[in-house]
Amino acid sequence: MKINLVNESFDSLQSDLEVIFVLNKDLNHKSIKDKKLLESLNFKAEDEEVVLLPESKKIYVGCEDNSYDCIAVAISAAVKKLQSTKFKSAKVKLLDGEASTLKALVEGAALGAYSFTKYKSKKTKNKQELFIVTKNSSKELTKTFNDSLIIAESVNKTRDFVNTTPEDFYPKTMTKEAKKISKLDDITLKVHGEEYLEKNKMFSMLGVGRASRHESQLIHLTYKPKNAKTKVVLVGKGLTYDSGGLSLKPGDSMVTMKSDKAGACMVLGALNAIAQLKLPIEVHCILGAVENMIGGDAFKPDDVLTAKNGTTIEVRNTDAEGRLVLADCLCYAQDKIKDIDYIFDYATLTGACVVGVGEYTTAIMGNNTGLRCNAIKNASASGEFSTSLPFNRHLRKLVKSKIADTCNMATSRYGGAITAGLFLDNFIYKENKDKWLHFDIAGPAYVENAWGYNPYGASGAGVRMTVEFMNSLSLDIDKKCQAK
Ligand code: BES
Ligand code: ZN
Ligand code: ZN
């Protein structure tokens, strides 16, 4: 789908179809010329309800209010309707002329039009066009349009990565994709294989990948523009497959575990956007790309692994592997990168998180309440759902071990998303305690029942909220909220 912003009279613009939003279920609005027909079709203008009237060449779509989510979901429904026809184009009016509405339209249309066809033998070519028509063009609208396209394309790139099968996307594939992104301006790349991990005593990450035929990769991308105002580290869990290891997942839960690389893929997508938007911020991306498999050489429940910072970890469940990979990646980041302002990690870390906050929401954890609040605000502004999960000292005791410094599985099955976050806190150095946030994206990263503008499969969750957050950090507008 090609999306265009055009500044001309709506009526004179040639297109096959016209998209009309029915706001607040108000079929009496003057823009609705086919009220009688719509009523006879029992069209109620509910959220996502869409109808095509081929005679009058109109697509009517319900839109509950003018929030980002409602607009994005509505235009996505209209675009999907267009895609189900042989019509070549549709036009939609930017009614209020607002940049925020334009952002919702562009992102909703581009995300809604996405489909993953890599493994289909017959690929449908989609050459349809959407025209967003505005009476008054301005620099602000043009910038919003271009930025929104970059962001949506980066989300779709992340979706492509995550949707690719583990046979086609293994740790070295992550390296290959990182290399492509490193071609953008101001980005450099370092890749470390298992020899480096061993030399640098990263036995926690090494343990997880030991039974795989694919070599683990620690990927470090640096985006360093000349006008950088702050320094941020983004760490991503990149399990290209999580079979559970010797604590093998049951068959049903193993399906979809190609999506366990979503944290790292989303960091790649966010960097792809940040660099193209030329945000004035230094960003380091640390990706732990590993495959968790079974075999004679596999790490085991009862093993004790030593992470890069010397912390010993009792393994009680090899399926709690993401935190083992992140432990070493977090240490690497803090050892290698000096004067960090913020360090955030992103991971499909726990099933408990999905149970706790649902399939649509990212859970944000960390020691700094103000910073968490700021992250949630930015996520919401970007169109993503998130919430905060609080640490407490009682839960912290649950990741202690009788035989090592810490344990990769809590002693209680309750509060699993938080205890995983508290495990990671063991690997955050003193000086960075208040600069760190952990994002558990296990719920929204992979969509099993399509919703809104997300089809079945990867959603690209985390990209939009991260770009929005990075933009706000570079503008320095949220200093107050970050104070503890
Ligand atoms: N990758 C999974 C978490 C997950 C589950 C992501 C469902 C997306 C959907 C993770 O590695 C895992 O298996 N965690 C275990 C931890 C437990 C053994 C302490 C879990 O959540 O069951
Ligand atoms: Zn696991
Ligand atoms: Zn996992």
Side-chain angles (χ1 to χ4, degrees):
M1 169 91 32
K2 185 165 190 302
I3 303 168
N4 311 278
L5 178 67
V6 283
N7 176 25
E8 67 178 80
S9 128
F10 190 72
D11 295 332
S12 64
L13 181 85
Q14 291 295 311
S15 86
D16 292 347
L17 296 173
E18 184 179 324
V19 177
I20 295 172
F21 278 45
V22 186
L23 268 163
N24 312 315
K25 303 183 189 162
D26 178 12
L27 285 167
N28 292 317
H29 194 270
K30 63 179 188 306
S31 62
I32 294 149
K33 305 276 191 284
D34 302 284
K35 186 182 170 216
K36 283 227 166 85
L37 187 53
L38 288 170
E39 275 173 351
S40 68
L41 289 168
N42 204 18
F43 177 76
K44 299 247 170 52
E46 307 263 1
D47 196 26
E48 289 188 65
E49 197 182 350
V50 61
V51 67
L52 166 67
L53 302 182
E55 292 275 307
S56 55
K57 306 226 160 148
K58 289 193 171 83
I59 293 174
Y60 285 95
V61 58
C63 183
E64 269 181 14
D65 58 46
N66 61 356
S67 65
Y68 174 100
D69 199 53
C70 287
I71 295 169
V73 168
I75 192 69
S76 149
V79 157
K80 278 185 257 182
K81 180 59 91 181
L82 169 66
Q83 286 177 322
S84 72
T85 71
K86 289 192 170 170
F87 291 109
K88 291 218 160 58
S89 61
K91 59 182 176 180
V92 61
K93 239 185 226 168
L94 181 65
L95 280 168
D96 58 6
E98 294 285 341
S100 55
T101 306
L102 179 61
K103 182 177 167 68
L105 283 175
V106 175
E107 293 179 5
L111 298 179
Y114 172 87
S115 66
F116 183 68
T117 55
K118 187 176 164 78
Y119 300 106
K120 291 279 188 195
S121 55
K122 285 196 189 83
K123 299 190 194 346
T124 42
K125 278 213 177 100
N126 194 331
K127 284 201 173 140
Q128 288 159 313
E129 284 198 72
L130 178 70
F131 298 100
I132 303 173
V133 188
T134 166
K135 266 194 291 191
N136 316 302
S137 80
S138 65
K139 261 195 189 157
E140 191 201 4
L141 282 185
T142 313
K143 180 171 162 37
T144 300
F145 176 76
N146 292 330
D147 288 2
S148 305
L149 268 185
I150 290 173
I151 292 168
E153 276 160 14
S154 301
V155 175
N156 286 341
K157 193 187 254 300
T158 298
R159 287 171 165 184
D160 278 343
F161 293 164
V162 176
N163 282 328
T164 303
T165 63
E167 202 49 29
D168 290 340
F169 199 114
Y170 41 90
K172 281 196 171 149
T173 320
M174 186 92 72
T175 300
K176 196 180 81 194
E177 295 300 340
K179 250 183 212 153
K180 286 190 210 157
I181 290 174
S182 73
K183 301 277 188 294
L184 292 168
D185 285 351
D186 301 321
I187 300 187
T188 53
L189 170 70
K190 268 190 214 148
V191 181
H192 304 298
E194 289 180 358
E195 205 180 307
Y196 177 96
L197 299 181
E198 220 167 304
K199 249 190 219 151
N200 287 272
K201 302 191 164 42
M202 300 169 75
F203 299 111
S204 180
M205 174 165 168
L206 265 173
V208 176
R210 221 164 58 198
S212 170
R213 70 192 159 99
H214 297 293
E215 191 187 357
S216 298
Q217 306 272 284
L218 190 149
I219 301 163
H220 181 175
L221 287 143
T222 307
Y223 165 66
K224 199 171 179 177
K226 283 189 191 71
N227 54 351
K229 296 208 177 81
T230 179
K231 194 187 286 189
V232 186
V233 182
L234 308 176
V235 179
K237 169 178 172 182
L239 263 288
T240 58
Y241 201 66
D242 180 13
S243 70
L246 290 179
S247 315
L248 197 63
K249 284 183 185 292
D252 284 354
S253 328
M254 207 184 296
V255 182
T256 72
M257 277 304 133
K258 65 174 183 183
S259 69
D260 216 20
K261 58 185 179 297
C265 294
M266 165 254 120
V267 168
L268 277 176
L271 182 70
N272 184 63
I274 290 163
Q276 290 183 63
L277 296 171
K278 301 198 177 297
L279 295 187
I281 182 168
E282 182 174 326
V283 181
H284 292 261
C285 300
I286 313 295
L287 316 176
V290 184
E291 191 185 50
N292 187 19
M293 298 298 280
I294 55 172
D297 192 29
F299 80 124
K300 299 170 279 295
D302 282 350
D303 278 347
V304 172
L305 304 173
T306 306
K308 190 173 191 299
N309 67 345
T311 300
T312 57
I313 307 164
E314 178 191 0
V315 176
R316 291 184 76 93
N317 191 318
T318 61
D319 197 11
E321 83 302 331
R323 63 196 78 182
L324 298 174
V325 172
L326 287 177
D328 271 336
C329 289
L330 288 166
C331 292
Y332 169 93
Q334 296 167 96
D335 289 340
K336 287 283 161 196
I337 306 158
K338 295 289 153 232
D339 304 317
I340 295 172
D341 291 316
Y342 303 97
I343 175 162
F344 304 147
D345 74 74
Y346 301 85
T348 45
L349 205 60
T350 63
C353 189
V354 195
V355 175
V357 305
E359 290 172 277
Y360 310 96
T361 306
T362 295
I364 306 180
M365 287 155 260
N367 300 298
N368 184 335
T369 312
L371 191 58
R372 267 188 286 150
C373 131
N374 196 10
I376 291 167
K377 233 174 52 187
N378 280 291
S380 163
S382 80
E384 289 198 53
F385 301 106
S386 72
T387 191
S388 172
L389 291 181
F391 288 162
N392 71 50
R393 61 195 194 89
H394 302 286
L395 284 167
R396 197 180 289 276
K397 290 176 194 151
L398 303 183
V399 285
K400 289 202 167 138
S401 160
K402 290 196 181 74
I403 61 157
D405 298 338
T406 185
C407 180
N408 82 330
M409 206 174 87
T411 48
S412 162
R413 62 196 177 94
Y414 300 119
I418 304 180
T419 48
L422 285 163
F423 173 89
L424 296 178
D425 185 50
N426 285 315
F427 303 91
I428 301 297
Y429 302 170
K430 240 194 217 135
E431 64 273 23
N432 294 324
K433 288 286 183 200
D434 282 338
K435 302 174 179 178
W436 167 66
L437 289 177
H438 160 57
F439 295 74
D440 194 331
I441 58 168
Y446 201 79
V447 175
E448 291 196 74
N449 297 302
W451 57 276
Y453 38 74
N454 292 307
Y456 173 84
S459 68
V463 173
R464 284 175 297 155
M465 69 164 86
T466 304
V467 175
E468 186 77 28
F469 201 5
M470 295 301 110
N471 190 36
S472 93
L473 293 177
S474 74
L475 295 172
D476 244 356
I477 50 175
D478 281 311
K479 272 268 146 71
K480 249 194 216 151
C481 199
Q482 286 154 39
K484 215 182 166 190

